[in-house]
């Protein structure tokens, strides 16, 4: 499905926003589209950690590395 969307060469970037929970799912999504939305996984991390600044930095670094 995402390969077909990519092949359409649409004007706007394509993002996947479901099932992105860690680096592996983020990287897999980015093979097919321009980026991924990490909403639920990020909120769950906030609930576990509590500190918005430190968890944001840790979460982003974990996804991008």
């Amino acid at each position: 499905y995402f390969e077909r969307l990519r092949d359409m060469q649409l004007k706007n970037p394509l993002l996947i926003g479901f099932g992105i929970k860690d680096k592996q799912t983020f990287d897999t999504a980015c093979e097919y589209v321009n980026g991924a939305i990490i909403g639920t996984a990020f909120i769950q991390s906030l609930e576990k950690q509590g500190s918005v600044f430190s968890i944001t930095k840790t979460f982003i670094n974990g996804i991008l590395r």
Side-chain angles (χ1 to χ4, degrees):
Y1 175 78
F2 291 110
E3 288 175 347
R4 287 187 303 190
L5 284 175
R6 183 185 58 206
D7 292 343
M8 293 172 72
Q9 299 180 357
L10 300 171
K11 178 181 174 182
N12 295 320
L14 297 173
L15 302 173
I16 294 176
F18 292 97
I20 309 302
K21 60 183 179 184
D22 54 25
K23 180 168 177 34
Q24 181 181 357
T25 56
F26 180 85
D27 289 344
T28 300
C30 291
E31 289 178 20
Y32 300 97
V33 296
N34 302 103
I37 301 166
I38 54 171
T40 302
F42 181 68
I43 297 301
Q44 289 171 345
S45 293
L46 283 176
E47 289 173 348
K48 290 179 186 175
Q49 300 292 326
S51 172
V52 174
F53 179 74
S54 64
I55 189 56
T56 301
K57 182 178 177 183
T58 302
F59 188 86
I60 299 293
N61 285 337
I63 291 288
L64 298 179
R65 287 190 183 160

